[in-house]
Structure formats: C-alpha cells, structure tokens
Amino acid sequence: MRSNYFEIYEFVSPQVYIVHEDDAWKFIDPRLIETMDFIKASFGKTITINDWWWKGKFTQRGLRDNMCSIVKNKTGNNVLYLSGHVLGMAVDFDVKGYTAEQVRQKLIEMKDLLPYPIRLEKNVSWVHLDMMDEGEGKIYIF
C-alpha cells in the first residue's frame, strides 16, 4: 500500500531509501499509512515526519532500522527495543500551525472517525502515533 499524501522517504531513513527506494513501502504497516492519510486529509496542513530528503534534520521519525543511532544505542546498552518504529508501525510528526498537544486533542475529539485504534504518547513536543493496539478503545494514551 502507498500513501495518497506522503512519499516513502518521509517514512524511512536515508539508509533504507538508498537500498529499497519505493519498494520500502513494504516495511510500513498499511494501517499506519491509511491513518496518516486520514490525518493529513483532516488537518489539511503540512505534516512533517522525516525531512532528510529536503536537507532537514529528521531521519528517525518513521521506520527505525538497525543502522539508526537510536536503535544502535539501545542495542549497544543491552536494552531491548521493540518500539513501533522498528516494526514500521509508528511515526513521530508535527502538523504546521498546531502544537503537539493541539493535535493530540483534535485526534481525541475525532477518535470515532479514525480508521484504526492508535496509541499517542503524552508530554512530548511532537506527536508520536503508533498502531500497537492496547485493546483500550480507539485511542490509548501512554
């Protein structure tokens, strides 16, 4: 499945894109793609996941592969790391013109319209969204 609004390089690191290019869509959970498309259509604003393609600073806000520093650091410190990011089920993102808290609140308000249950991380300055279903309704806040 491919996104209607995002390019694959917004979901993956440069390393993954160099090796797999557009075939890297196979690593991204289709529910995540559909959910992010829904959010983009609902907000109608620029959403930034990874922006390395445009010489930005974000490279690890989508799929995190074994070459990403976050994963390497966890592994090097013998920390088990089973984040939704390494499973292709999570993104961190910003919506232009909104704070992270405003985005979280709007998603909570429209939870019944979401295509799938999601998890949202609280108390961070970006929006972390993943598809790791906790069985707690449409939105689980952690």
Side-chain angles (χ1 to χ4, degrees), residues 69-83 86:
S69 63
I70 293 171
V71 178
K72 279 182 166 182
N73 290 339
K74 300 277 187 189
T75 302
N77 290 317
N78 289 324
V79 174
L80 181 63
Y81 187 64
L82 293 174
S83 163
V86 298

Side-chain angles (χ1 to χ4, degrees), residues 25-79:
W25 283 113
K26 66 186 172 192
F27 302 121
I28 309 301
D29 188 312
R31 297 171 304 159
L32 179 62
I33 297 167
E34 189 175 340
T35 299
M36 289 307 296
D37 277 356
F38 169 80
I39 292 169
K40 171 66 176 166
S42 297
F43 280 83
K45 301 283 185 180
T46 299
I47 293 178
T48 303
I49 305 171
N50 286 328
D51 61 1
W52 61 266
W53 181 264
W54 302 281
K55 310 279 189 259
K57 62 183 178 179
F58 299 121
T59 63
Q60 300 181 58
R61 295 178 95 194
L63 177 69
R64 292 184 185 153
D65 58 82
N66 67 317
M67 301 303 290
C68 290
S69 63
I70 293 171
V71 178
K72 279 182 166 182
N73 290 339
K74 300 277 187 189
T75 302
N77 290 317
N78 289 324
V79 174

Side-chain angles (χ1 to χ4, degrees), residues 29-39 42-43 89-91 93 100 103-122 127-142:
D29 188 312
R31 297 171 304 159
L32 179 62
I33 297 167
E34 189 175 340
T35 299
M36 289 307 296
D37 277 356
F38 169 80
I39 292 169
S42 297
F43 280 83
M89 299 172 59
V91 290
F93 66 94
V103 174
R104 285 188 286 272
Q105 288 307 312
K106 185 166 170 106
L107 290 173
I108 290 167
E109 289 169 15
M110 55 191 222
K111 67 182 177 188
D112 293 332
L113 301 174
L114 289 167
Y116 302 98
I118 62 171
R119 292 188 337 153
L120 295 171
E121 184 175 358
K122 62 183 173 186
V127 180
H128 168 91
L129 179 148
D130 68 51
M131 309 310 296
M132 298 179 72
D133 187 1
E134 297 283 344
E136 301 279 332
K138 264 315 206 20
I139 297 182
Y140 179 81
I141 310 277
F142 68 99

